[in-house]
Amino acid sequence: MGIHLEKSWLELLHEEFGSAYFLDLEQFLHKERNGNVSIYPPEQKVYSAFNLCHFLKTKVVILGQDPYHGPNQAHGLCFSVNEGIPHPPSLQNIFKELQREVGLAYPKSGDLRPWAEQGVLLLNATLTVRQGEAGSHQGKGWEIFTDRVIELVNVKCEGVVFLLWGGFAKKKGKMIDRNKHLVLESGHPSPLSANRGYWFGNNHFIQCNDWLIAKGQAPIDWKLV
């Protein structure tokens, strides 16, 4: 698998690509891609979260678990779908919370690239998945790689907002220095969690921008055109 990675991230992560766990991961992905199943997102989109969000411009990290496993959905950004694709339930609830918090109209597009381009790292813990099989690429090495990403942001960046939604993301948050960064936690936006009262009303989008403004940074424009 080719490594299509933006320069600022490549400089920080290049040693990972030669490590034993990553070579094993690449071998696994090669076998998967040459099998009789589809792998999402497409190979050239696996690192989209990094290629759209320069390391030194990272202001916010939203952490997902693994990519959507349906055709044409995943394009390398957590919770985001390609233009023209129906919004999965979790994304619907994210947009509903934005409506409630800041009064934004519900968007037609589920493509979150405008957020990434403003410094929001939309990171899945596992960057690939087999079609129709959620979690099928977990435990193959991606989690080691993305832990390293979180570690680098924690150590080398200042005043980042981490939005941790759900139990899985909260566990990843243990490595974050909360004296240095803002960590906001809530239930996951999936219907299972949201309908039980663990998602709606968290005010994370407002709190995120209040923190950025207080730190002298431009807030995120959450509006999607």
Side-chain angles (χ1 to χ4, degrees):
M1 177 178 135
I3 306 296
H4 308 283
L5 197 62
E6 191 272 334
K7 184 179 178 181
S8 66
W9 289 103
L10 186 60
E11 290 175 350
L12 291 164
L13 293 166
H14 71 277
E15 292 184 1
E16 301 299 305
F17 302 129
S19 62
Y21 85 86
F22 201 89
L23 294 174
D24 288 343
L25 171 61
E26 283 198 307
Q27 186 176 30
F28 166 77
L29 291 172
H30 179 75
K31 290 179 180 178
E32 287 280 276
R33 292 189 186 280
N34 285 278
N36 295 320
V37 295
S38 295
I39 304 303
Y40 301 134
E43 186 171 355
Q44 69 272 20
K45 297 290 186 180
V46 168
Y47 296 100
S48 292
F50 305 95
N51 294 333
L52 292 168
C53 180
H54 190 286
F55 176 75
L56 294 178
K57 296 180 180 179
T58 301
K59 299 192 289 187
V60 181
V61 177
I62 299 178
L63 184 63
Q65 192 157 347
D66 61 352
Y68 297 124
H69 53 82
N72 301 316
Q73 290 182 306
H75 62 142
L77 307 177
C78 73
F79 295 107
S80 181
V81 291
N82 281 305
E83 186 77 29
I85 298 299
H87 304 168
S90 292
L91 186 57
Q92 292 178 31
N93 285 336
I94 289 171
F95 289 155
K96 289 175 182 177
E97 176 60 19
L98 268 172
Q99 281 185 299
R100 191 201 64 81
E101 285 187 38
V102 296
L104 290 180
Y106 190 96
K108 292 181 179 179
S109 174
D111 185 343
L112 303 183
R113 282 181 295 176
W115 295 3
E117 291 164 354
Q118 296 176 72
V120 181
L121 181 65
L122 294 158
L123 180 66
N124 275 315
T126 303
L127 299 189
T128 56
V129 70
R130 190 182 302 143
Q131 179 178 333
E133 297 183 41
S136 51
H137 285 186
Q138 292 177 8
K140 303 298 183 182
W142 278 129
E143 293 90 345
I144 302 172
F145 178 77
T146 52
D147 276 356
R148 178 60 175 153
V149 172
I150 295 169
E151 178 186 6
L152 286 167
V153 174
N154 179 54
V155 172
K156 293 183 176 291
C157 296
E158 296 290 334
V160 173
V161 182
F162 289 84
L163 303 182
L164 307 181
W165 300 335
F168 181 86
K170 291 175 186 178
K171 289 178 182 178
K172 286 276 194 180
K174 293 179 180 178
M175 66 184 75
I176 300 167
D177 182 351
R178 298 175 188 232
N179 294 316
K180 181 180 181 183
H181 306 290
L182 176 64
V183 178
L184 299 176
E185 300 181 350
S186 78
H188 195 274
S190 68
L192 181 63
S193 173
N195 293 341
R196 295 168 62 190
Y198 300 134
W199 164 254
F200 292 115
N202 62 35
N203 291 320
H204 281 187
F205 300 105
I206 290 176
Q207 292 182 69
C208 172
N209 277 349
D210 286 348
W211 167 274
L212 293 176
I213 292 168
K215 295 293 182 180
Q217 298 196 66
I220 304 300
D221 181 358
W222 301 110
K223 182 170 73 273
L224 296 172
V225 179

